[in-house]
Amino acid sequence: MAGWGYAFSLSKQQVAAAEPPGTSRLIEHELHRTVSGRNQQDDHIVLIPPPSQSGLDPLNWPTWRKYAVLLTMSLFSAVASFGSAGVAPALPALIPEFLVFPERGPPHPLPFSTLTHLVAINVLLLGCSNIFWVPLASTFGRRPILLISLLLSTFTSMWCGLAGTFNSLLAARVVQGIGFGPADTIAPDTVGEVFFIHERGRAMAIYTLFLSGGSFIGGVSGAYIAAHLGYRYIFWITTAMCAGVFLLDLFLVPETLFDRQAALVAEQHPSVVGSGSFSDEKKAGVETVERAIPLGDRMSFRQSLRIGVYRGNLMQHFLDPWRSLAFPGTWVVMLHYGGLLGGLITISTIGPQLLAMPPYLWGDNVGLLGLGAVVGGFLGFLPTYLTADRFMTGKAKKESHGFAEPESRLPALFPALFLATTGIWTFGFCAAHPSPHAWAGMVVGYGMVGFGIMQIPSIGFNYLIDSYHAISADCFVMTTISRAVVSFAWTFFAAQWVESAGAALPFGIFGMIMGLFALLTIPLWLYGKRMRIATAGYLPKHENH
């Protein structure tokens, strides 16, 4: 184990030449002499992780199947986000639905702060349930856990639609949140297992677009659905979408938990790096190293339907998420995500209630607040998709050794972190000073946070996968737990706090917390590689990725 003292005693040259886990030789520089006698350099992207020769290896799957996996996992995240967030703008419509009958006096509706528990408790269980979902997936495979969670999501959404009392609906939301859990952990890890390192940025940007888009669409449409069809239709729509994603997962998403290390050892020629054939395809001026797979070794449809593997060490898998806290990158990403989602969910819960009151009186249109987040999210998707991989590939191409460093992705976070922090303040201060036109500032503030929620998780998830691929799912567990706890706390107490103190103080503090979390990115960017050198001994000996 290298240790912190050793890592920070190295010179810059020694750090640059070091190859801790997460550092990969992505670019191979090759010189060859042209006919005219001039030396010309060709740069080739090396496939990282190196694939085996097995057709069951997810890295060897055909492009259509990889994108089918990406689309299905992205749809799962979108449905979970829609089902969780769609209730928030519909809360004003639920006020007359659930009455309290005291022993004396006339019945009265439940307080709005009590209704917000339908959102807060769902978000809490969505994150915390992964403490058992991910260990089970690491032991028995991704596929059975995804299918079970989708079935649970389908039937509990149906229960939400049938619930006749507030307590029944609250209980249904608890179990529904548990069913949604793998959408935030196992789904992105599954995406990471089918794409190479130079492809993951764009793939994760698409996943995050669906993850954020589900929340935004739910935030816009929830109030309209509740007003015109009844709030129960939010749950019936969620039920139908969960059932559809279940069918897609059943037929299009094979098991992605693959023992690549054993496959490489068993091959007749175990040296797999650089043994492939070069394609003629050019990508951004860099040629990609392609790998030939024997035509007779493709995965059959029957093999793709296989459910379940067994890796053993269930108790160890339950302990692994807590081990991920030894890595500074886990802390930075989980604090980013927790603070960001806390602000976003609080805005989506409190905002519609504010716009339903004077001087706005938007009525059924309170969900239009979410249009700001939709626009912000779309604007955040474009730079993320275009630059997520380019930052890493471009930096590796400039280095003589061709190393790809996860930290090279982090500069893309700075604009999003700034906008998210100032967006929380913008929303809060505009909400604290209501006027006929203050809603515009609230919408813009929500849009700034929407830009952040599109870009920050995408870059952060990629950083975790690149740096700690062997335990990335465990890192996601702690990230979602942090998000769930912060979001639950903010949503649970924010309504009463805003009622008693106004919006400026709560959202001012929320923005300050988000800003402090954002500043942690700077030391991770500057010293992240040294931190990975210091903590390399905490990772498994064989990453198997």
Side-chain angles (χ1 to χ4, degrees), residues 245-257:
V245 176
F246 171 82
L247 294 176
L248 290 175
D249 190 64
L250 180 64
F251 293 109
L252 295 179
V253 183
E255 179 58 60
T256 61
L257 191 62

PDB file of all heavy atoms in Angstrom, residues 245-257:
ATOM      1  N   VAL A 245     -40.911  -1.247 -19.661  1.00  0.00           N
ATOM      2  CA  VAL A 245     -39.458  -1.367 -19.470  1.00  0.00           C
ATOM      3  C   VAL A 245     -39.098  -2.777 -19.010  1.00  0.00           C
ATOM      4  O   VAL A 245     -38.048  -3.312 -19.389  1.00  0.00           O
ATOM      5  CB  VAL A 245     -38.959  -0.307 -18.467  1.00  0.00           C
ATOM      6  CG1 VAL A 245     -37.467  -0.489 -18.191  1.00  0.00           C
ATOM      7  CG2 VAL A 245     -39.213   1.091 -18.999  1.00  0.00           C
ATOM      8  N   PHE A 246     -39.964  -3.405 -18.235  1.00  0.00           N
ATOM      9  CA  PHE A 246     -39.722  -4.797 -17.826  1.00  0.00           C
ATOM     10  C   PHE A 246     -39.604  -5.703 -19.039  1.00  0.00           C
ATOM     11  O   PHE A 246     -38.700  -6.549 -19.122  1.00  0.00           O
ATOM     12  CB  PHE A 246     -40.839  -5.275 -16.897  1.00  0.00           C
ATOM     13  CG  PHE A 246     -40.784  -6.753 -16.606  1.00  0.00           C
ATOM     14  CD1 PHE A 246     -39.927  -7.252 -15.629  1.00  0.00           C
ATOM     15  CD2 PHE A 246     -41.570  -7.654 -17.313  1.00  0.00           C
ATOM     16  CE1 PHE A 246     -39.854  -8.613 -15.351  1.00  0.00           C
ATOM     17  CE2 PHE A 246     -41.512  -9.013 -17.057  1.00  0.00           C
ATOM     18  CZ  PHE A 246     -40.651  -9.499 -16.068  1.00  0.00           C
ATOM     19  N   LEU A 247     -40.494  -5.546 -20.002  1.00  0.00           N
ATOM     20  CA  LEU A 247     -40.445  -6.376 -21.206  1.00  0.00           C
ATOM     21  C   LEU A 247     -39.174  -6.092 -22.015  1.00  0.00           C
ATOM     22  O   LEU A 247     -38.547  -7.017 -22.539  1.00  0.00           O
ATOM     23  CB  LEU A 247     -41.688  -6.138 -22.053  1.00  0.00           C
ATOM     24  CG  LEU A 247     -43.020  -6.595 -21.440  1.00  0.00           C
ATOM     25  CD1 LEU A 247     -44.192  -6.211 -22.342  1.00  0.00           C
ATOM     26  CD2 LEU A 247     -43.006  -8.111 -21.204  1.00  0.00           C
ATOM     27  N   LEU A 248     -38.809  -4.822 -22.121  1.00  0.00           N
ATOM     28  CA  LEU A 248     -37.569  -4.482 -22.826  1.00  0.00           C
ATOM     29  C   LEU A 248     -36.365  -5.106 -22.134  1.00  0.00           C
ATOM     30  O   LEU A 248     -35.467  -5.652 -22.790  1.00  0.00           O
ATOM     31  CB  LEU A 248     -37.408  -2.962 -22.893  1.00  0.00           C
ATOM     32  CG  LEU A 248     -38.375  -2.191 -23.798  1.00  0.00           C
ATOM     33  CD1 LEU A 248     -38.150  -0.695 -23.654  1.00  0.00           C
ATOM     34  CD2 LEU A 248     -38.201  -2.624 -25.260  1.00  0.00           C
ATOM     35  N   ASP A 249     -36.337  -5.031 -20.822  1.00  0.00           N
ATOM     36  CA  ASP A 249     -35.222  -5.591 -20.067  1.00  0.00           C
ATOM     37  C   ASP A 249     -35.178  -7.112 -20.216  1.00  0.00           C
ATOM     38  O   ASP A 249     -34.096  -7.710 -20.323  1.00  0.00           O
ATOM     39  CB  ASP A 249     -35.354  -5.206 -18.592  1.00  0.00           C
ATOM     40  CG  ASP A 249     -34.124  -5.549 -17.791  1.00  0.00           C
ATOM     41  OD1 ASP A 249     -33.056  -4.972 -18.060  1.00  0.00           O
ATOM     42  OD2 ASP A 249     -34.207  -6.410 -16.892  1.00  0.00           O
ATOM     43  N   LEU A 250     -36.345  -7.746 -20.233  1.00  0.00           N
ATOM     44  CA  LEU A 250     -36.410  -9.201 -20.328  1.00  0.00           C
ATOM     45  C   LEU A 250     -35.831  -9.703 -21.645  1.00  0.00           C
ATOM     46  O   LEU A 250     -35.112 -10.712 -21.682  1.00  0.00           O
ATOM     47  CB  LEU A 250     -37.871  -9.654 -20.189  1.00  0.00           C
ATOM     48  CG  LEU A 250     -38.136 -11.166 -20.269  1.00  0.00           C
ATOM     49  CD1 LEU A 250     -37.457 -11.900 -19.103  1.00  0.00           C
ATOM     50  CD2 LEU A 250     -39.640 -11.438 -20.257  1.00  0.00           C
ATOM     51  N   PHE A 251     -36.091  -9.000 -22.748  1.00  0.00           N
ATOM     52  CA  PHE A 251     -35.701  -9.497 -24.066  1.00  0.00           C
ATOM     53  C   PHE A 251     -34.451  -8.836 -24.651  1.00  0.00           C
ATOM     54  O   PHE A 251     -33.841  -9.388 -25.575  1.00  0.00           O
ATOM     55  CB  PHE A 251     -36.867  -9.328 -25.044  1.00  0.00           C
ATOM     56  CG  PHE A 251     -38.051 -10.196 -24.738  1.00  0.00           C
ATOM     57  CD1 PHE A 251     -39.223  -9.644 -24.242  1.00  0.00           C
ATOM     58  CD2 PHE A 251     -37.987 -11.580 -24.903  1.00  0.00           C
ATOM     59  CE1 PHE A 251     -40.317 -10.441 -23.943  1.00  0.00           C
ATOM     60  CE2 PHE A 251     -39.074 -12.387 -24.609  1.00  0.00           C
ATOM     61  CZ  PHE A 251     -40.239 -11.823 -24.121  1.00  0.00           C
ATOM     62  N   LEU A 252     -34.060  -7.671 -24.151  1.00  0.00           N
ATOM     63  CA  LEU A 252     -32.973  -6.928 -24.802  1.00  0.00           C
ATOM     64  C   LEU A 252     -31.720  -6.755 -23.943  1.00  0.00           C
ATOM     65  O   LEU A 252     -30.692  -6.337 -24.475  1.00  0.00           O
ATOM     66  CB  LEU A 252     -33.472  -5.534 -25.229  1.00  0.00           C
ATOM     67  CG  LEU A 252     -34.559  -5.500 -26.303  1.00  0.00           C
ATOM     68  CD1 LEU A 252     -34.952  -4.057 -26.589  1.00  0.00           C
ATOM     69  CD2 LEU A 252     -34.094  -6.189 -27.581  1.00  0.00           C
ATOM     70  N   VAL A 253     -31.798  -7.042 -22.650  1.00  0.00           N
ATOM     71  CA  VAL A 253     -30.658  -6.777 -21.760  1.00  0.00           C
ATOM     72  C   VAL A 253     -30.148  -8.091 -21.173  1.00  0.00           C
ATOM     73  O   VAL A 253     -30.688  -8.583 -20.183  1.00  0.00           O
ATOM     74  CB  VAL A 253     -31.035  -5.800 -20.637  1.00  0.00           C
ATOM     75  CG1 VAL A 253     -29.806  -5.490 -19.772  1.00  0.00           C
ATOM     76  CG2 VAL A 253     -31.606  -4.509 -21.212  1.00  0.00           C
ATOM     77  N   PRO A 254     -29.105  -8.693 -21.776  1.00  0.00           N
ATOM     78  CA  PRO A 254     -28.518  -9.905 -21.190  1.00  0.00           C
ATOM     79  C   PRO A 254     -27.744  -9.562 -19.918  1.00  0.00           C
ATOM     80  O   PRO A 254     -27.612  -8.396 -19.529  1.00  0.00           O
ATOM     81  CB  PRO A 254     -27.586 -10.406 -22.295  1.00  0.00           C
ATOM     82  CG  PRO A 254     -27.954  -9.636 -23.520  1.00  0.00           C
ATOM     83  CD  PRO A 254     -28.502  -8.331 -23.038  1.00  0.00           C
ATOM     84  N   GLU A 255     -27.212 -10.595 -19.301  1.00  0.00           N
ATOM     85  CA  GLU A 255     -26.396 -10.404 -18.107  1.00  0.00           C
ATOM     86  C   GLU A 255     -25.089  -9.719 -18.479  1.00  0.00           C
ATOM     87  O   GLU A 255     -24.380 -10.152 -19.380  1.00  0.00           O
ATOM     88  CB  GLU A 255     -26.103 -11.752 -17.440  1.00  0.00           C
ATOM     89  CG  GLU A 255     -25.244 -11.660 -16.195  1.00  0.00           C
ATOM     90  CD  GLU A 255     -25.866 -10.764 -15.139  1.00  0.00           C
ATOM     91  OE1 GLU A 255     -26.991 -11.070 -14.691  1.00  0.00           O
ATOM     92  OE2 GLU A 255     -25.216  -9.750 -14.803  1.00  0.00           O
ATOM     93  N   THR A 256     -24.763  -8.623 -17.782  1.00  0.00           N
ATOM     94  CA  THR A 256     -23.525  -7.885 -18.064  1.00  0.00           C
ATOM     95  C   THR A 256     -22.420  -8.180 -17.065  1.00  0.00           C
ATOM     96  O   THR A 256     -21.288  -7.721 -17.247  1.00  0.00           O
ATOM     97  CB  THR A 256     -23.788  -6.369 -18.071  1.00  0.00           C
ATOM     98  OG1 THR A 256     -24.266  -5.960 -16.785  1.00  0.00           O
ATOM     99  CG2 THR A 256     -24.809  -6.001 -19.137  1.00  0.00           C
ATOM    100  N   LEU A 257     -22.716  -8.921 -16.001  1.00  0.00           N
ATOM    101  CA  LEU A 257     -21.684  -9.291 -15.027  1.00  0.00           C
ATOM    102  C   LEU A 257     -20.870 -10.444 -15.615  1.00  0.00           C
ATOM    103  O   LEU A 257     -21.307 -11.589 -15.627  1.00  0.00           O
ATOM    104  CB  LEU A 257     -22.336  -9.697 -13.703  1.00  0.00           C
ATOM    105  CG  LEU A 257     -21.393  -9.860 -12.508  1.00  0.00           C
ATOM    106  CD1 LEU A 257     -20.706  -8.549 -12.176  1.00  0.00           C
ATOM    107  CD2 LEU A 257     -22.161 -10.370 -11.299  1.00  0.00           C
TER     108      LEU A 257
END
